[in-house]
Amino acid sequence: MQMMTRLKHFYRQHVVAVTLLFFLIVSIAMVAIVYLQPNKILSGADYHFHMNRVENLALSIKHGDFFPKISYFFIGGMGYAASLFYPDAFLYLPAILRVMGLSIKESFVIFAIFINLSTFLVTYGSGKLAGFTRKKAVIFALLYGLSIYRFADLVNRQAIGEVIALTFFPLVIVMMTSIGTC
């Protein structure tokens, strides 16, 4: 009984850190289930396209061009203006990891963990903005973050643009409902 009291007291004192750690563990577990297999990585429909974008951004950063407009990594060096249609802002994390020497698989796995963690945190924050209690906000974040559509988007299709957009979807919905109540 005394142990439970201590745990509750510890949780109340460190609720933000415990919640963050919990979401981090769940994010790592989600990615580990699929991607942390030796010498293998699933390559969905958009995997090669987005990894080419990461490679191009990493090469551009190495050459001092931090905001490339044309991706010369595409079409046999002819180039493609992918950055005009797909913003590169979120791809700087895996690109910088590539510049630091990590493999494309390792940088993608860390990027996927970051996307999952961001989704949990944004959804949790959205729940708090909507007036949920801490417990309900965590449940809301888990239900949304573990949703099969979002997970399949990340794992099967690897539609990075859509997965990033889905990260902010709960926030958009909460903001739209709050505008409606003003």
Side-chain angles (χ1 to χ4, degrees):
M1 188 68 171
Q2 188 179 16
M3 182 67 159
M4 285 302 289
T5 307
R6 279 194 225 157
L7 282 174
K8 286 180 183 178
H9 181 69
F10 177 82
Y11 175 74
R12 284 190 198 112
Q13 284 183 322
H14 305 287
V15 68
V16 173
V18 170
T19 304
L20 181 64
L21 182 63
F22 174 69
F23 286 146
L24 179 63
I25 290 169
V26 173
S27 298
I28 292 170
M30 284 178 70
V31 172
I33 288 169
V34 178
Y35 290 119
L36 296 183
Q37 301 172 23
N39 302 319
K40 292 181 183 177
I41 191 155
L42 292 176
S43 58
D46 288 351
Y47 176 77
H48 295 291
F49 173 72
H50 292 297
M51 292 308 101
N52 282 341
R53 291 177 58 216
V54 169
E55 279 298 313
N56 176 71
L57 193 54
L59 289 172
S60 296
I61 290 170
K62 280 183 183 178
H63 290 98
D65 183 7
F66 292 93
F67 304 104
K69 298 296 178 222
I70 303 290
S71 175
Y72 292 104
F73 199 76
F74 283 93
I75 313 172
M78 303 259 317
Y80 181 63
S83 297
L84 299 176
F85 307 106
Y86 293 92
D88 291 335
F90 292 95
L91 295 182
Y92 278 92
L93 173 64
I96 290 169
L97 294 172
R98 287 290 294 140
V99 170
M100 291 171 44
L102 272 68
S103 72
I104 194 72
K105 177 185 175 182
E106 293 165 339
S107 64
F108 181 75
V109 167
I110 291 170
F111 181 58
I113 291 168
F114 174 75
I115 289 173
N116 278 336
L117 180 61
S118 299
T119 301
F120 285 121
L121 294 176
V122 167
T123 307
Y124 175 80
S126 300
K128 294 298 286 175
L129 281 173
F132 294 174
T133 63
R134 188 173 290 127
K135 185 177 180 179
K136 287 181 182 178
V138 168
I139 292 169
F140 176 55
L142 286 172
L143 287 174
Y144 184 76
L146 296 172
S147 70
I148 194 67
Y149 180 80
R150 199 190 73 75
F151 189 63
D153 238 7
L154 178 66
V155 173
N156 292 347
R157 291 184 49 223
Q158 292 165 335
I160 301 302
E162 188 173 331
V163 172
I164 291 169
L166 287 172
T167 298
F168 298 100
F169 187 66
L171 185 61
V172 170
I173 296 301
V174 168
M175 291 292 114
M176 287 175 61
T177 56
S178 69
I179 289 171
T181 59
C182 289

